[in-house]
Amino acid sequence: MTDSAPPPPAPERRARPAPARMAPLARLPVFFALSGRRVVLAGGSEAAAWKAELLSAAGAHVEVFAVDPCEDLLALAAAPPDGPLILIARDWTPEDLAGAALAIGAFEDDPDCARFADAAHAAGVPVNVVDKPAFCDFAFGAIVNRSPLVVGISTDGAAPVFGQAVRAKIEAVIPQGFKRWAEAARSWRPAVSALALSYQGRRSFWERFTRAALETPEDEPSEALREQFLARAEVERTDTPRGSVALVGAGPGDPELLTLKAVRVLQSADVVLYDDLVAPAVLDVARREARKMLVGKTGYKPSCKQDDINALMVSLAKQGKRVVRLKGGDPMVFGRAGEEITAARNAGLPVDVVPGITAAQGAASRLSVSLTHRDHARRLQFVTAHARDGKLPRDLDWQALADPAATTVVYMPQRTWGELSAKAMAAGLDPATPAIALFSATRPQERQVPATVATLQAALEAAVADGASGPCLVLFGHAIGEAAAFALPREVAEEAEKAHAAQG
C-alpha cells in the first residue's frame, strides 16, 4: 500500500464578518389566531368596549365581566362584528380566567390591575391591562385593516399618538383593494399546494401574484387570472430550474436612495454577493432568508479576485438561484460590471442590471452643489485614480483634467491623489481650484474635507489620521467652489475665487 499524496492546501480566505443579526425589539410582533377561542375581558368602560370590538372582529368568543357596562358594550353585545360577545353582570374572579386564550382588563387603580395580572399569570394566560404597560404581557398596536392583510404598529407605549400618525400614513398608501387580493391569495393557496411545486416554483407563483396586485390593486382577482397563473406554474414545474444574475446598484450608502426596483430585486434574492463598499443598512433591505456573502472588492485592501467572484456568481446561478451582485454606487460606473455581465452571458444565464445613484450624485446631493453649474462648468468627467495594479492609471488625459471649465469626480483617490494632482497641476490645472473629499457620503459617518487641489493631499492625510473612513471620493472644479467656499478658510477661499476670476 502506497502513501497517497497530501491534499493541496486550502486557498487562503479573507475573514468575513458575522452575518447581520436582528436589532433589539421592544416588542415581538405576533398575531393571535382567536377564532372560536375564549377570551376574558374585565371592565365595562369605553376602553373595554374598544378592546371587545377588536376581539370579536378577530372571531374570539368574548366573555365580558362588568357590573355596569357602558352603552357601547351593550350595543356591541347586541351586534358583534364577528365572534359572540357575552355580557356577565358581575365582577370577575380568578376562576373565570382558567382556560382562556387571553385576559384583558380595563381598570383605573393599580391595585386592581396588579390583582388581575397576578391571577392571569397564575392561570397561565397572557394578560393585557388597558393603558397600563407595567402590567401587560402583550400590547395592542395601531391597526391597518385590509383583512386578511393586517398591519400592526407599536411604539411600546412610548408614543401612542406617533403610532397613530404612522398608521394614518400606512392607511394612505395601502389600497383598499389589497383586501380582495389577500382574500384571493387565501382561496388560491390550496390549488397552488396541489401542484406540489418546488420552493422556487411556489415563490415564483406568489411573486407573479404580488406583481399583479401591486400593478392593479383595485381590480378584482379573476378566476381567469387564477387559471392563467396556475397553468404557467404547471409548465414551469417540469422545467429545469434556471437561475439568474442581477447587478444591482446599492447607491452611495443611504438605503433610502435605493431605487424601487433595487428593493424589489433584493427582496427576491436567494444569494447576495456584496462588496465591502456596500453599507450594512442596504443589506438589511434584502430578503432575510437570502444568503449574504461578502466578496470583498475594495480599492486598496485584500480582495477576492474578480475571476473568483465571476465563478462563484455563475456557479450559484447554475444551481437555480437568483443571485444579486450588489455594488456600491452604480454597477456600471467603475464597478467592473462588464466582466460580470460577460461571465453570466457566456454561461447562458439571464442577467439584469439595476442602476443605482452614483457616488458622485450622492456627494453632490450632500454638498447641495450642481456639478454642471452653468456659471462654472461646461463638462462633467468621472475618472478613476486606481488602475488594475493599484497605481495611478497611465493613460489619463491630463489636459482634460486641467480644463478650468470642467468638474471632475475622482473615484478611489486616496493613495494616488498626491501624484494625480501634481501631474494635473503640471499640465496647467490651477493649484487654487476648489476641491473637496467626501468619506462615506450620505452615511451617518460622512466626513467632508474641503481644500484646494494643491492643499487637499495634506488635508486628506489629516482627516484619515483623525478617523475618517469609508469610501472616498474627490471632486474638484470651480463648480465645487459653490460648496467648498462655505467650509474653506477665508483666505484660501478668496485665493480660489481670485484665480477663477482671473481666468475669465
Side-chain angles (χ1 to χ4, degrees):
M1 180 175 179
T2 59
D3 293 336
S4 60
E12 187 174 331
R13 294 178 178 268
R14 290 186 63 204
R16 291 179 177 173
R21 300 299 184 190
M22 174 71 76
L25 287 170
R27 297 273 178 173
L28 178 67
V30 296
F31 294 86
F32 284 106
L34 293 178
S35 182
R37 302 182 69 186
R38 176 172 168 266
V39 174
V40 171
L41 193 154
S45 65
E46 291 183 358
W50 171 232
K51 294 300 187 285
E53 184 174 352
L54 285 174
L55 295 165
S56 172
H61 182 112
V62 187
E63 294 180 0
V64 181
F65 293 86
V67 174
D68 186 21
C70 68
E71 290 297 325
D72 283 350
L73 266 175
L74 293 172
L76 193 62
D82 189 2
L85 194 152
I86 310 301
L87 286 177
I88 302 172
R90 63 172 174 83
D91 284 330
W92 68 278
T93 67
E95 291 75 20
D96 295 323
L97 302 180
L102 297 175
I104 316 298
F107 309 102
E108 291 294 330
D109 299 329
D110 283 1
D112 292 335
C113 298
R115 188 168 66 88
F116 185 78
D118 289 344
H121 293 153
V125 179
V127 63
N128 173 276
V129 181
V130 179
D131 293 335
K132 301 284 187 178
F135 301 101
C136 294
D137 294 328
F138 65 94
F140 287 85
I143 292 173
V144 177
N145 185 11
R146 305 288 186 272
S147 186
L149 174 65
V150 179
V151 181
I153 303 108
S154 169
T155 63
D156 193 28
V161 174
F162 179 51
Q164 290 294 331
V166 172
R167 183 199 63 78
K169 283 283 189 183
I170 297 174
E171 282 275 9
V173 299
I174 297 185
Q176 291 288 340
F178 275 7
K179 175 180 175 63
R180 293 190 294 272
W181 284 93
E183 289 171 342
R186 181 160 57 189
S187 65
W188 293 11
R189 187 167 293 278
V192 177
S193 298
L195 292 177
L197 301 173
S198 65
Y199 166 80
Q200 191 62 56
R202 292 193 304 275
R203 185 167 183 84
S204 294
F205 179 93
W206 291 115
E207 285 177 348
R208 199 170 295 126
F209 174 93
T210 301
R211 282 197 296 273
L214 293 173
E215 290 168 2
T216 57
E218 299 305 334
D219 286 1
E220 188 75 32
S222 66
E223 185 65 21
L225 185 67
R226 172 183 178 273
E227 293 304 317
Q228 175 188 331
F229 283 5
L230 289 172
R232 182 168 174 181
E234 176 69 27
V235 170
E236 292 176 349
R237 186 169 66 90
T238 59
D239 292 344
T240 302
R242 190 184 186 202
S244 62
V245 172
L247 275 59
V248 175
D254 183 349
E256 292 189 359
L257 295 178
L258 286 168
T259 65
L260 292 175
K261 185 172 183 180
V263 171
R264 179 174 61 78
V265 172
L266 280 168
Q267 291 181 348
S268 66
D270 295 313
V271 182
V272 179
L273 306 179
Y274 66 97
D275 293 345
D276 275 345
L277 298 181
V278 174
V282 172
L283 286 173
D284 291 341
V285 176
R287 186 166 69 97
R288 184 161 298 279
E289 297 82 2
R291 184 181 178 189
K292 302 173 184 70
M293 302 174 67
L294 171 64
V295 292
K297 293 299 293 179
T298 62
Y300 301 106
K301 300 175 184 177
S303 301
C304 294
K305 295 180 179 178
Q306 186 62 49
D307 288 346
D308 293 339
I309 296 173
N310 295 348
L312 177 62
M313 179 184 72
V314 167
S315 172
L316 290 167
K318 282 189 171 182
Q319 296 171 29
K321 300 184 185 301
R322 281 173 291 190
V323 180
V324 168
R325 179 71 176 96
L326 188 62
K327 296 170 173 288
D330 184 289
M332 312 300 269
V333 178
F334 299 123
R336 302 188 73 169
E339 297 162 66
E340 293 171 351
I341 292 171
T342 298
R345 287 178 173 168
N346 288 345
L349 294 166
V351 59
D352 191 18
V353 177
V354 181
I357 301 295
T358 66
Q361 289 171 312
S365 72
R366 296 294 298 151
L367 296 171
S368 297
V369 64
S370 170
L371 300 179
T372 55
H373 195 299
R374 63 187 302 173
D375 292 339
H376 304 293
R378 305 291 177 269
R379 192 157 53 84
L380 173 63
Q381 55 191 0
F382 294 177
V383 299
T384 177
H386 180 85
R388 286 178 181 267
D389 59 4
K391 298 178 181 179
L392 189 69
R394 300 182 181 86
D395 55 355
L396 291 176
D397 185 339
W398 298 109
Q399 292 303 314
L401 290 174
D403 183 358
T407 300
T408 304
V409 181
V410 185
Y411 284 71
M412 295 171 280
Q414 276 185 262
R415 283 197 179 174
T416 55
W417 170 254
E419 182 182 357
L420 185 152
S421 58
K423 289 184 175 180
M425 287 186 287
L429 177 63
D430 184 355
T433 301
I436 191 165
L438 276 84
F439 292 85
S440 300
T442 78
R443 306 185 191 190
Q445 68 272 29
E446 177 187 296
R447 178 80 170 270
Q448 299 180 9
V449 184
T452 65
V453 167
T455 62
L456 183 59
Q457 178 63 27
L460 273 173
E461 293 172 357
V464 171
D466 191 40
S469 62
C472 181
L473 201 69
V474 166
L475 303 88
F476 67 88
H478 293 290
I480 303 303
E482 292 291 317
F486 293 110
L488 283 172
R490 181 177 177 182
E491 63 275 11
V492 178
E494 289 176 350
E495 178 187 352
E497 183 59 33
K498 288 177 182 177
H500 178 48
Q503 292 171 356

